Amino acid sequence: MKLRLLLAASASLVSVAAAAPVADAQPRSQIRIEQSGMNNQIAGRQSGYQVSLSVKQDGYEQYIQAAQRGAHAVAAIRQYGKRNEAGLTQDGWRNRSFLGQLGAYNRSNTYQSGSNNITGIAQMGSNNTAVTTQTGSYSALGVIQVGNGQTTNVTQTRSGEVKLVIQGGF
């Protein structure tokens, strides 16, 4: 029994030590991760000042990759279901991204550079794909996908753009 306890404690220490270089945070930055289910994966990297990343996964075989660089960036990712994938990259100042997935086999990838941009993606159903890119400043972008097999690729390159994409069907 003591040997099992020692092995379990050693394995947990090794897993925490192995994850330390992946989820490094700078002063006043925050990373919050909640996972339940099985085979959940996450990779996170933040550099800058007052950068916040919040991730919640519930289900199985979920995958998230997030990278933020700059100052005052905020990202929130929520996944419920199975085999959902999310990728998020933010460079610049005061960019905000919110990704929500409910269902199975949904994929989203968002990239922001510039400053004061906001992106929101909501996917409900299965086999939905959303790819967004914002390279200007003071832009807003929303994507809502409901049903099965919706696909969108939205790019904003100028400053002050506002776009909303709503897709539905089965």
Side-chain angles (χ1 to χ4, degrees), residues 19-124:
V22 175
D24 58 332
Q26 301 299 318
R28 297 189 183 195
S29 295
Q30 298 178 350
I31 297 176
R32 283 180 233 108
I33 300 169
E34 296 179 43
Q35 295 179 315
S36 62
M38 60 184 237
N39 297 328
N40 295 316
Q41 300 176 26
I42 184 166
R45 178 164 301 280
Q46 294 187 159
S47 63
Y49 182 72
Q50 292 185 342
V51 181
S52 174
L53 171 64
S54 174
V55 175
K56 183 168 185 174
Q57 296 177 314
D58 190 6
Y60 65 95
E61 296 177 358
Q62 313 278 27
Y63 173 75
I64 292 176
Q65 181 175 356
Q68 297 185 105
R69 184 175 61 187
H72 304 284
V74 176
I77 303 170
R78 302 291 185 262
Q79 293 179 319
Y80 302 94
K82 70 176 188 178
R83 293 191 178 143
N84 292 312
E85 298 178 15
L88 175 128
T89 303
Q90 293 186 132
D91 288 325
W93 293 66
R94 292 185 174 95
N95 290 320
R96 286 158 174 60
S97 293
F98 305 95
L99 308 176
Q101 297 173 320
L102 174 63
Y105 304 101
N106 293 308
R107 289 167 294 286
S108 66
N109 193 349
T110 186
Y111 172 78
Q112 292 177 316
S113 65
S115 64
N116 297 291
N117 293 313
I118 186 167
T119 297
I121 298 174
Q123 296 175 311
M124 296 151 280

